[in-house]
Amino acid sequence: MTTRTDREAMEYDVVIVGAGPSGLAAAIRLKQMAPDLSVCVLEKGSEVGAHILSGAVMEPHALDELIPDWKEKGAPLDTPAGEDSFLFLTRTGSFRLPTPPTLRNHGNYIVSLGKVCRWLGSQAEELGVEIFPGFAAAEVLYGEDGAVRGVATGDMGLGRDGEPTSLFTPGMELHARQTIFAEGCRGSLAKTVIARFALDRDSDPQVYGLGIKELWEIDPAKHRPGSITHTVGWPLDSDTYGGSFLYHLGENLVAVGFVVGLGYENPHLSPFDEFQRFKTHPAIRPTFEGGRRIAYGARAIAAGGWQSLPKLTFPGGVLVGDTAGFLNAPKIKGSHAAMKSGMLAAEAVAALLTDGQDRCEAVGYEPAFKASWLARELHAARNIKPAFKWGLWPAMAYAALDTYLLRGKAPWTLRHAADHDRLKPASACQPIAYPKPDGVVSFDRLSSVYLSNTNHEENQPIHLRLKDPEKALSVNLTFYESPESRYCPAGVYEIVRSGPGGDGGEPRLQINAQNCLHCKTCDIKDPTQNIDWTCPEGSGGPNYAMM
């Protein structure tokens, strides 16, 4: 089957979209289970790991199951977790709170998840998996029976107007007996598959956080390898879900990050600026004074957990990892869950294909998940995140009740509401005055984007598409004062005016797509769901060498 006569096609038993922890774990498990299956992994980043960003403290449970001798094989889990601390910040001070069980990290490792994925990629290739970085899956292919039949990569060499240039090269079709969608949070293809097969019909809306991270090289005298600190409180108000992390890796490196739940109500809020002023807190700032910021990035996090998981299978394919929402929000960990989901899916797919069945549904995946330790973990944690709709202190009290007394076995399940429905009109909310960056521990957006190594071919169609361009002004600007100009951590969206010096005149929304970090926040938080994030040309976007 070819859907376009100008595209060549390649045939595989399994095509995996995305070379993150879930996709690579699935690829490895497939070849472990059925070495003769042909397996291909597509990765839109310029290399494996280029688009991977996480805290990251990694729980090795799934890795132990996938590659039991990972230590002997040189997996880059080099910094064992050490002391945990949990702080509540006020504007000028801090209080140490008891560390919740979910944030105790004995036996875990502080890692660069990008490095871990590059290592997993090498393990997959040794087993015969074909990995193609720099190729973005841009289209889902369907057979005449309606089943997923594979994917097509995006055309290269299109001009800004969408017309072919002299560098035009058509995409490639990759046909598969089964397609595994492992695109990460808010996958651009997975969201169309979920809609087509109504996979979320019986689940709560997915909810998200925006995680922003920097990597610093600090004064060796201040470095404590393995130290882990989490904070809640200032600079966020008690009604806004969020918090921070500081992880001391090896080589005098510290990963610092800030997560803001995208269910926030005040359209004046800027997650990027909240992160920058967090670093100015007297309990935080000394860590970074005299240091050097060396990397920056951002990504959305699927935080809905158990009740937001969609149906995981459909004719011709499955969903794994953050694409489906396998993240334990109270733990602030998802890599172990992503890997385990990929392994479970691979086992079901391998059983299906070695039985000679094409384009059927890998129905064994969902029961295997529900019988796994991963399901038990997510089910026990299901009520912690939605409790934060009551505010910080009621939620922390409930979390203690749920964790210590009920032990995750409450006879109820709290529900989620969609993030994009939560914004209030700007006129009903208090504006937030953010301090100017000091250039020492706090910085502006554009200098931060520079450290993400983000690059896009500028003469290509804008991959951030407005379904109705007029809504950017008639709704977003009029009622919410253009929240996309604040929730985007890369300065992609900007209201400009035609008057002298940019003052007065007719406003228009300018989209600086070349700055895009591929975090997907705009696709999630836009109040009218008017922004559609689609894949740019393959290899475009950030290059997170160490994140």
Side-chain angles (χ1 to χ4, degrees), residues 16-21 24 40-52 117 130-137 153 182-183 518 538-540 542:
I16 300 172
V17 183
L24 293 170
C40 162
V41 179
L42 288 177
E43 167 53 44
K44 65 183 175 67
S46 59
E47 63 175 341
V48 173
H51 289 177
I52 296 295
C117 286
E130 297 181 35
I131 301 178
F132 299 124
F135 288 90
T153 63
E183 297 176 282
H518 298 201
S539 79

Side-chain angles (χ1 to χ4, degrees), residues 209-212 235-236 240-241 257-262 264 266-278 296 298 432 434 445 483-489 521 525:
L210 171 60
I212 306 175
L236 298 176
T240 302
Y241 176 81
F258 201 80
V259 177
V260 176
L262 290 179
Y264 66 83
N266 187 344
H268 300 290
L269 187 146
S270 163
F272 174 87
D273 291 303
E274 297 289 349
F275 174 40
Q276 296 306 316
R277 70 172 175 170
F278 154 75
Y296 167 83
I432 303 173
Y434 292 106
R445 278 177 171 80
E484 62 271 30
S485 66
R486 289 179 290 280
Y487 60 59
C488 174
T521 302
K525 187 60 176 172

Side-chain angles (χ1 to χ4, degrees), residues 62-385:
L63 184 59
D64 289 336
E65 295 180 358
L66 181 66
I67 306 175
D69 57 345
W70 56 266
K71 290 183 181 179
E72 292 76 9
K73 290 186 173 180
L77 281 69
D78 301 321
T79 307
E83 181 186 9
D84 289 299
S85 60
F86 184 51
L87 304 180
F88 173 75
L89 302 185
T90 66
R91 183 177 296 275
T92 58
S94 64
F95 303 93
R96 186 161 183 170
L97 301 175
T99 301
T102 53
L103 295 180
R104 295 173 188 166
N105 287 291
H106 178 73
N108 297 335
Y109 294 83
I110 304 174
V111 303
S112 159
L113 193 58
K115 289 183 179 180
V116 172
C117 286
R118 284 191 286 276
W119 180 82
L120 286 171
S122 70
Q123 301 302 302
E125 289 179 320
E126 287 181 10
L127 294 172
V129 176
E130 297 181 35
I131 301 178
F132 299 124
F135 288 90
E139 178 186 352
V140 182
L141 304 178
Y142 296 93
E144 292 181 0
D145 59 356
V148 170
R149 187 67 176 91
V151 297
T153 63
D155 295 334
M156 306 283 281
L158 293 176
R160 180 58 64 94
D161 59 3
E163 296 299 317
T165 69
S166 60
L167 301 176
F168 176 75
T169 303
M172 174 78 70
E173 295 189 4
L174 294 103
H175 301 165
R177 298 165 67 192
Q178 285 283 303
T179 304
I180 297 177
F181 291 89
E183 297 176 282
C185 183
R186 193 74 164 199
S188 56
L189 296 188
K191 69 183 181 183
T192 68
V193 171
I194 291 170
R196 182 184 181 104
F197 294 105
L199 301 179
D200 57 353
R201 177 176 50 213
D202 298 322
S203 59
D204 282 6
Q206 186 59 264
V207 296
Y208 302 87
L210 171 60
I212 306 175
K213 176 183 175 182
E214 294 174 350
L215 189 66
W216 284 70
E217 186 178 45
I218 66 166
D219 180 347
K222 302 175 181 178
H223 187 236
R224 296 170 293 143
S227 173
I228 293 173
T229 300
H230 293 97
T231 79
V232 294
W234 189 88
L236 298 176
D237 62 43
S238 62
D239 293 329
T240 302
Y241 176 81
S244 80
F245 61 84
L246 281 84
Y247 302 152
H248 287 241
L249 297 87
E251 302 176 331
N252 301 321
L253 297 177
V254 171
V256 56
F258 201 80
V259 177
V260 176
L262 290 179
Y264 66 83
E265 297 179 341
N266 187 344
H268 300 290
L269 187 146
S270 163
F272 174 87
D273 291 303
E274 297 289 349
F275 174 40
Q276 296 306 316
R277 70 172 175 170
F278 154 75
K279 289 181 293 171
T280 69
H281 190 276
I284 306 301
R285 184 184 185 102
T287 298
F288 302 108
E289 289 181 320
R292 181 171 68 97
R293 189 176 68 144
I294 59 177
Y296 167 83
R299 61 159 290 191
I301 301 163
W306 176 264
Q307 53 270 57
S308 294
L309 289 173
K311 186 173 182 288
L312 302 175
T313 65
F314 46 89
V318 299
L319 305 175
V320 298
D322 225 11
T323 290
F326 286 107
L327 178 134
N328 187 326
K331 277 188 175 182
I332 325 177
K333 292 180 183 65
S335 56
H336 70 295
M339 291 179 65
K340 181 61 174 179
S341 70
M343 294 157 62
L344 292 168
E347 290 161 5
V349 167
L352 181 76
L353 296 184
T354 54
D355 199 30
Q357 301 185 59
D358 284 7
R359 281 183 285 164
C360 296
E361 198 162 331
V363 293
Y365 173 27
E366 204 131 2
F369 159 64
K370 290 181 179 177
S372 71
W373 56 259
L374 177 57
R376 293 191 292 274
E377 176 182 315
L378 294 182
H379 186 266
R382 72 194 183 282
N383 286 328
I384 305 299
K385 171 65 172 69

Side-chain angles (χ1 to χ4, degrees), residues 495-506:
I495 294 293
V496 297
R497 297 181 182 270
S498 57
D503 296 324
E506 291 298 316

